[in-house]
Amino acid sequence: MALDRLKKEETLAMRMRLIGQSCKLFYSDDPVKILRARGQYLFDENGERYLDCISNVHHVGHCHPSITKAAAAQMDLLNTNTRFLHDNIVLYADRLAATLPEKLCVFYFVNSGSEANDLALRLAQQYTQQEDVIVLDHAYHGHLMSLIDISPYKFRKLAGQKEWVHVAPLPDTYRGIYRENHPNPGQAYADTVKDLIEEVHRKGRKISAFFAESLPSVGGQIILPRGYSAKVAEYVRSAGGVFVADEVQTGFGRLGSHFWGFQQQGENFCPDIVTMGKPMGNGHPLACVATTVEIAEAFTANRVEYFNTFGGNPVSCAIGLAVLDVIETEDLRGNATRVGAHLKDLLTKLQTQHQIIGEVRGAGLFLGIELVTDREKRTPATKTAAFLRHEDRICVSTDGPWESVLKFKPPMCFSMEDAELVVQCIDRILTVATTAFYVGMHLLDIYCMRSLNTIKDSHKDLISHIHNFSVE
Amino acid sequence: MALDRLKKEETLAMRMRLIGQSCKLFYSDDPVKILRARGQYLFDENGERYLDCISNVHHVGHCHPSITKAAAAQMDLLNTNTRFLHDNIVLYADRLAATLPEKLCVFYFVNSGSEANDLALRLAQQYTQQEDVIVLDHAYHGHLMSLIDISPYKFRKLAGQKEWVHVAPLPDTYRGIYRENHPNPGQAYADTVKDLIEEVHRKGRKISAFFAESLPSVGGQIILPRGYSAKVAEYVRSAGGVFVADEVQTGFGRLGSHFWGFQQQGENFCPDIVTMGKPMGNGHPLACVATTVEIAEAFTANRVEYFNTFGGNPVSCAIGLAVLDVIETEDLRGNATRVGAHLKDLLTKLQTQHQIIGEVRGAGLFLGIELVTDREKRTPATKTAAFLRHEDRICVSTDGPWESVLKFKPPMCFSMEDAELVVQCIDRILTVATTAFYVGMHLLDIYCMRSLNTIKDSHKDLISHIHNFSVE
């Protein structure tokens, strides 16, 4: 197969014509065409290498040969649906069960994190016989209609907030209502959920579920404060609801120290439903819901079949099993711990040199850098973040309500050298930006004294750069 | 890899323990464990062969080597998301566009028919700025919350009918309100939709979409009467709505004569949105929505991104392209036409010998047999249908409101010999059933003269068989 059948401009023209424009491209002013990938590296049509700091989906590394081999072997044998008995689905469920607290022992396999969250919502509503859901501000739980309803990040731009959806403050100790100087932000933020439940009760409504990512990602790579989840679970359960932990972004050892993000909240906390997705199949459409016997039984009680055509098929499960094998045999959790710590350390050192870095946070290979134009006021440095996003063939991405958080969630084989490379790159860009700022100030003085058409082209370019870096 | 790592009873025990019981097994009293498959044949743990008459998902045949090869080659190269430019997605969209009327030229790739129908609903509602949907009675459009709402087959057993959902009669000329003796059932059934639209308007509501499978499958392998869709589209569009054709079960040449089911309704009919799924990836989770420039532009207008993590990735699209190639190179549409016609012919002959066969209908390799205990009254022979479903290692399935329709939707490589085998098998079982009925009548006479405990075990078995066959 020829790798590059179309010229980049042809690909782009066909893309514009044939694919819905709501499906956006990275770097839309100069999109990147990637032809092949290996581990944490992407290669474009000219063979140029990009360091991938964002593909959490390709968890054990792009195009890992063990995954390809497992997929091809099973594709050659059998790929039926789950109405037939098969070993792969039960062996895979058993392996997943071993990573989870004992009570999360019933599994439903689906094709995407969105399908998993939709099913989690059904399970919660059927078990509690209630409808209302509490979600965190800025949360995103998927692209399906039911999930847009419980995703403030989406519904605020679309149909708005439904009467059965209630938004709790994002427990963000950098920008939120309780910050790092609060004596017990975990309790304080949990109390906001308690207050919300009381407000819901005053409206004569009842809570079905509290739905939250274990580490809010679109919200800005947020680490929930200690004690938060256990307290919220206590309040939600007293109100008759269940706690749904969305692990679509954070599961499968990304944090290094724990296999699941929710485990960071301590051993006394266990969700009632866990959803998983992105990294699960290393790019293959595979996702899952884990829950308790009680919730599963309530779902079965109405005797209505749940059938998912592709979910849990022998190929998907063979791939899922192979991913778990690679995580173990290559000690990718150990790697996430070591490389993540080194990367965080380097970024924290960088913070001492660059005023624009307001905070470095995260765990393992799930890190975020808050960029601010003013450390005191914590003013989001949105434009600098956007500029950093695709410089020097280092793919990072931005998130958070102001798109001011640079986020790292690379394939788990990310190395010490990769960490050093990306930090050097950020350092260089921020240094140029700082210099450009002072040069820019001087140039703007000149600019004010002359008419526009006397400014040389090179100066125009420089002014454009200044705009990118300093005018936030 | 050892094919059979667990004994069947271990697999079953683990399945009962680990997988939600709402995920049902075929033949739940004696589930089948399938280890490998090829073409239209499945093989269990003892190497016994089953003829697969139901896996429309495995469209070009189970484990087709061309599909495995294409998947493995692309998995080894690259499997990113659609935020990067890639040739596969645009080449695939271009190939699909060539099968469709010119106006259906914008594509969105997703992971399942359910995700496709959920997106179709969003597209329709955003384009029309209305909410209400008309669906056909007994319809099933997917397992997601939004689709249960528009699936009478599901919502009647669950949360019930929402005020924005309106159910039109299933245009079934065998059991419906207008039958084969009606001079123009297409017009008559379309008029029921017209009446429903007027009723909706009287309630002060507006139609967003008419949603229907091109050949209703769960409804009982229904062939829409001639002229129906064009007339419905006319009424729906006059009311400001769009026509969504759900081709998840019927697309990709299954009918032989046409690539898409809706094309059976004539060249003057074109839907506004087409959804596709099951056969698209031959078992790989791949689905799609095709629509018009106008609807896609309305969806883009709010500037909110639609991102589907796995949808349209290079591996999924490589598989989709390989499926299209095999359909062409192996002339599977021609095969569906020829084998389907032969099968229908054999079944129609069988109808002359067995009173229980009320109707044989369908096109290509999408066929249904209505089983009735009384041809005049058309009483559904539900129990006989259930019994036939898994006899003699021929996998067929049942559908329709009374589960009395035996349906055939085999892999497209189904052969003339397969057709003959399955018809011989049905003939044999129905012959035994007829004999059993008369023997049974005699035994029941004896039974009435004696007390239960004097009946020998063999007689008990026979009575149990009679129950299966004759007591509907």
Side-chain angles (χ1 to χ4, degrees):
Chain A
M1 178 168 28
L3 282 195
D4 198 22
R5 285 154 291 177
L6 301 171
K7 286 186 187 152
K8 186 173 165 182
E9 55 269 27
E10 288 174 301
T11 312
L12 184 58
M14 285 178 78
R15 166 96 184 203
M16 293 295 126
R17 177 164 58 84
L18 289 160
I19 307 299
Q21 291 304 301
S22 304
C23 306
K24 299 200 173 161
L25 288 163
F26 277 132
Y27 326 128
S28 52
D29 46 351
D30 183 21
V32 177
K33 183 174 181 181
I34 298 295
L35 261 58
R36 60 190 182 88
R38 211 74 178 181
Q40 62 276 45
Y41 305 112
L42 304 166
F43 300 89
D44 71 10
E45 77 281 13
N46 302 315
E48 294 283 2
R49 194 184 87 168
Y50 294 68
L51 175 61
D52 183 352
C53 303
I54 51 176
S55 292
N56 59 341
V57 167
H58 305 91
H59 194 62
V60 303
H62 288 277
C63 305
H64 194 293
S66 299
I67 311 301
T68 306
K69 196 177 156 194
Q74 186 60 52
M75 281 187 83
D76 193 46
L77 264 182
L78 180 70
N79 193 24
T80 51
N81 63 51
T82 58
R83 283 173 175 157
F84 293 103
L85 280 179
H86 198 272
D87 288 349
N88 287 6
I89 187 172
V90 299
L91 293 171
Y92 187 37
D94 202 42
R95 285 280 292 278
L96 290 173
T99 68
L100 286 161
E102 207 171 332
K103 78 169 202 177
L104 294 167
C105 60
V106 184
F107 298 84
Y108 300 87
F109 292 97
V110 297
N111 306 302
S112 65
S114 287
E115 284 195 356
N117 281 335
D118 182 273
L119 178 57
L121 193 54
R122 276 184 73 188
L123 288 167
Q125 291 185 341
Q126 187 146 335
Y127 175 68
T128 61
Q129 292 291 306
Q130 300 297 336
E131 187 184 17
D132 288 30
V133 175
I134 295 177
V135 292
L136 294 180
D137 206 357
H138 309 295
Y140 176 59
H141 295 291
H143 57 72
L144 298 167
M145 294 184 80
S146 61
L147 305 176
I148 291 171
D149 281 348
I150 63 164
S151 298
Y153 165 73
K154 286 284 178 191
F155 71 59
R156 293 222 172 96
K157 301 172 192 166
L158 294 166
Q161 188 169 348
K162 299 275 167 75
E163 74 289 355
W164 55 274
V165 177
H166 313 281
V167 180
L170 182 64
D172 172 356
T173 54
Y174 185 73
R175 294 196 175 283
I177 50 174
Y178 306 112
R179 299 191 172 180
E180 65 285 349
N181 55 358
H182 189 284
N184 190 352
Q187 179 70 59
Y189 276 112
D191 284 345
T192 65
V193 176
K194 193 178 171 211
D195 295 345
L196 196 55
I197 292 171
E198 283 163 12
E199 201 184 307
V200 171
H201 287 177
R202 278 195 297 277
K203 289 178 186 164
R205 311 185 66 98
K206 288 265 176 83
I207 294 299
S208 167
F210 174 85
F211 230 97
E213 284 184 273
S214 294
L215 291 91
S217 178
V218 168
Q221 305 285 91
I222 305 297
I223 310 295
L224 300 180
R226 186 186 305 269
Y228 176 76
S229 299
K231 269 288 158 197
V232 168
E234 185 190 318
Y235 299 146
V236 168
R237 286 178 191 140
S238 315
V242 298
F243 192 116
V244 183
D246 177 340
E247 290 274 351
V248 170
Q249 299 264 9
T250 50
F252 294 88
R254 174 153 295 280
L255 305 185
S257 56
H258 302 88
F259 198 87
W260 301 104
F262 73 81
Q263 290 169 329
Q264 255 205 346
Q265 289 280 308
E267 287 199 358
N268 66 338
F269 168 64
C270 177
D272 303 294
I273 299 175
V274 168
T275 59
M276 38 190 105
K278 292 187 189 291
M280 198 170 183
N282 214 48
H284 181 86
L286 170 58
C288 181
V289 181
T291 191
T292 65
V293 169
E294 293 72 25
I295 293 173
E297 280 178 355
F299 192 59
T300 310
N302 61 15
R303 304 170 66 87
V304 175
E305 180 177 14
Y306 176 79
F307 178 62
N308 188 306
T309 301
F310 308 123
N313 70 63
V315 171
S316 293
C317 291
I319 290 172
L321 280 162
V323 168
L324 292 180
D325 285 343
V326 176
I327 293 172
E328 282 175 24
T329 55
E330 298 185 8
D331 186 26
L332 293 179
R333 279 178 61 192
N335 190 63
T337 303
R338 289 184 297 273
V339 175
H342 186 54
L343 178 55
K344 197 174 175 183
D345 197 40
L346 292 171
L347 291 170
T348 307
K349 279 186 193 134
L350 208 62
Q351 194 182 8
T352 63
Q353 297 157 40
H354 296 286
Q355 284 292 310
I356 200 167
I357 299 182
E359 188 181 55
V360 175
R361 61 177 172 248
L365 285 170
F366 182 88
L367 297 172
I369 312 175
E370 276 274 4
L371 297 181
V372 290
T373 53
D374 183 319
R375 279 197 182 177
E376 200 64 35
K377 296 181 191 153
R378 304 189 175 182
T379 321
T382 305
K383 285 180 182 161
T384 307
F387 191 82
L388 272 167
R389 205 156 54 181
H390 65 303
E391 279 301 287
D392 278 352
R393 292 193 266 282
I394 305 282
C395 300
V396 293
S397 66
T398 56
D399 243 320
W402 296 272
E403 293 284 342
S404 59
V405 181
L406 270 193
K407 64 178 184 181
F408 295 87
K409 42 171 194 155
M412 296 276 281
C413 50
F414 209 69
S415 73
M416 293 292 190
E417 295 70 31
D418 298 325
E420 281 149 23
L421 180 67
V422 71
V423 173
Q424 282 160 18
C425 170
I426 292 172
D427 185 23
R428 191 168 58 244
I429 296 169
L430 292 181
T431 305
V432 171
T434 311
T435 313
F437 179 76
Y438 292 108
V439 174
M441 286 300 102
H442 178 64
L443 260 178
L444 279 172
D445 287 343
I446 301 169
Y447 176 79
C448 293
M449 291 182 286
R450 298 186 184 189
S451 69
L452 186 67
N453 54 16
T454 64
I455 298 181
K456 287 182 183 163
D457 280 353
S458 62
H459 289 181
K460 279 187 197 159
D461 282 356
L462 195 46
I463 287 174
S464 148
H465 272 86
I466 296 159
H467 181 79
N468 276 318
F469 290 124
S470 59
V471 188
E472 287 285 349
Chain B
M1 177 166 33
L3 282 195
D4 198 22
R5 285 154 292 177
L6 302 170
K7 286 185 184 152
K8 184 173 166 182
E9 54 271 27
E10 289 174 298
T11 312
L12 184 58
M14 285 179 76
R15 166 96 186 204
M16 293 295 124
R17 178 163 58 82
L18 289 160
I19 307 299
Q21 292 304 300
S22 304
C23 306
K24 300 202 172 160
L25 288 163
F26 277 132
Y27 326 129
S28 54
D29 47 350
D30 184 19
V32 177
K33 184 173 180 182
I34 298 296
L35 262 57
R36 61 189 181 88
R38 211 75 177 181
Q40 63 275 45
Y41 305 112
L42 305 166
F43 300 90
D44 71 9
E45 77 282 11
N46 302 315
E48 295 282 2
R49 193 184 88 167
Y50 294 67
L51 176 61
D52 184 351
C53 305
I54 52 176
S55 292
N56 58 341
V57 167
H58 304 92
H59 194 62
V60 302
H62 288 277
C63 304
H64 195 292
S66 299
I67 311 302
T68 307
K69 195 176 157 197
Q74 187 59 52
M75 281 187 83
D76 193 46
L77 266 183
L78 180 71
N79 193 23
T80 50
N81 63 51
T82 57
R83 283 172 175 157
F84 294 102
L85 280 179
H86 198 273
D87 288 350
N88 286 6
I89 186 171
V90 299
L91 292 171
Y92 187 37
D94 202 42
R95 285 281 291 276
L96 290 172
T99 68
L100 286 161
E102 207 171 332
K103 77 169 202 175
L104 294 166
C105 59
V106 184
F107 298 83
Y108 300 86
F109 291 97
V110 298
N111 307 299
S112 65
S114 286
E115 284 194 354
N117 281 335
D118 182 274
L119 178 57
L121 193 53
R122 276 184 73 188
L123 288 167
Q125 291 185 343
Q126 187 146 334
Y127 176 68
T128 60
Q129 293 291 307
Q130 301 297 336
E131 187 183 17
D132 288 30
V133 175
I134 296 177
V135 292
L136 294 180
D137 207 357
H138 308 295
Y140 176 59
H141 295 291
H143 56 73
L144 297 168
M145 295 182 79
S146 61
L147 304 176
I148 291 171
D149 282 347
I150 63 163
S151 297
Y153 165 73
K154 286 283 178 190
F155 71 61
R156 292 222 172 96
K157 303 172 191 167
L158 294 166
Q161 188 168 350
K162 299 276 166 72
E163 75 286 357
W164 55 274
V165 177
H166 313 281
V167 181
L170 182 64
D172 173 356
T173 53
Y174 185 71
R175 293 195 176 284
I177 49 174
Y178 306 112
R179 300 193 171 178
E180 66 284 348
N181 54 0
H182 189 283
N184 190 351
Q187 178 70 58
Y189 277 111
D191 284 344
T192 66
V193 176
K194 191 177 173 215
D195 295 346
L196 196 55
I197 292 171
E198 283 164 11
E199 201 184 307
V200 171
H201 287 177
R202 279 195 297 275
K203 289 178 185 165
R205 309 186 66 99
K206 287 262 176 83
I207 293 300
S208 167
F210 174 84
F211 230 97
E213 287 183 271
S214 294
L215 291 90
S217 177
V218 167
Q221 305 286 92
I222 305 298
I223 311 293
L224 299 180
R226 187 185 304 268
Y228 176 76
S229 300
K231 268 288 159 199
V232 167
E234 183 189 319
Y235 298 146
V236 167
R237 286 177 190 141
S238 315
V242 298
F243 191 115
V244 183
D246 177 340
E247 290 274 351
V248 170
Q249 300 264 9
T250 49
F252 293 88
R254 174 153 297 280
L255 304 185
S257 56
H258 301 88
F259 198 86
W260 300 105
F262 74 80
Q263 290 168 329
Q264 255 204 346
Q265 289 279 309
E267 287 199 1
N268 64 337
F269 168 64
C270 176
D272 302 293
I273 299 176
V274 168
T275 61
M276 37 190 106
K278 293 186 188 291
M280 198 169 182
N282 213 48
H284 181 85
L286 171 59
C288 182
V289 180
T291 192
T292 64
V293 169
E294 293 71 27
I295 292 174
E297 280 178 355
F299 193 58
T300 310
N302 61 13
R303 304 171 64 86
V304 175
E305 180 179 13
Y306 176 78
F307 178 61
N308 187 306
T309 300
F310 308 123
N313 70 63
V315 172
S316 293
C317 292
I319 290 172
L321 281 162
V323 168
L324 293 180
D325 285 342
V326 176
I327 293 172
E328 282 175 24
T329 54
E330 299 186 5
D331 186 25
L332 292 179
R333 280 177 62 191
N335 191 63
T337 303
R338 289 184 297 273
V339 176
H342 186 54
L343 178 56
K344 196 173 175 186
D345 196 41
L346 292 171
L347 291 169
T348 307
K349 278 184 193 135
L350 208 62
Q351 192 182 9
T352 63
Q353 296 157 41
H354 296 285
Q355 283 293 309
I356 200 166
I357 299 181
E359 187 180 57
V360 175
R361 61 175 171 250
L365 286 170
F366 182 89
L367 298 172
I369 311 175
E370 278 274 4
L371 297 181
V372 291
T373 54
D374 183 320
R375 279 194 181 179
E376 200 65 35
K377 295 180 190 153
R378 305 189 176 183
T379 321
T382 306
K383 285 180 182 160
T384 306
F387 191 83
L388 272 168
R389 204 158 53 182
H390 65 303
E391 279 302 287
D392 279 352
R393 292 193 266 283
I394 305 283
C395 299
V396 293
S397 66
T398 56
D399 243 320
W402 296 272
E403 293 285 341
S404 60
V405 181
L406 270 194
K407 64 178 183 180
F408 296 86
K409 41 172 194 154
M412 297 274 283
C413 49
F414 209 70
S415 72
M416 294 290 190
E417 294 71 32
D418 298 325
E420 281 150 22
L421 180 69
V422 70
V423 173
Q424 282 159 18
C425 172
I426 292 171
D427 184 23
R428 191 168 58 243
I429 296 168
L430 292 181
T431 305
V432 171
T434 312
T435 313
F437 180 77
Y438 293 108
V439 174
M441 286 300 102
H442 178 64
L443 260 178
L444 279 171
D445 288 344
I446 300 168
Y447 175 78
C448 293
M449 292 183 285
R450 298 187 185 189
S451 67
L452 188 64
N453 56 15
T454 64
I455 297 181
K456 287 182 186 167
D457 278 352
S458 62
H459 289 181
K460 280 187 196 160
D461 283 356
L462 195 48
I463 287 174
S464 147
H465 272 86
I466 295 158
H467 180 80
N468 275 318
F469 289 123
S470 58
V471 189
E472 289 282 351

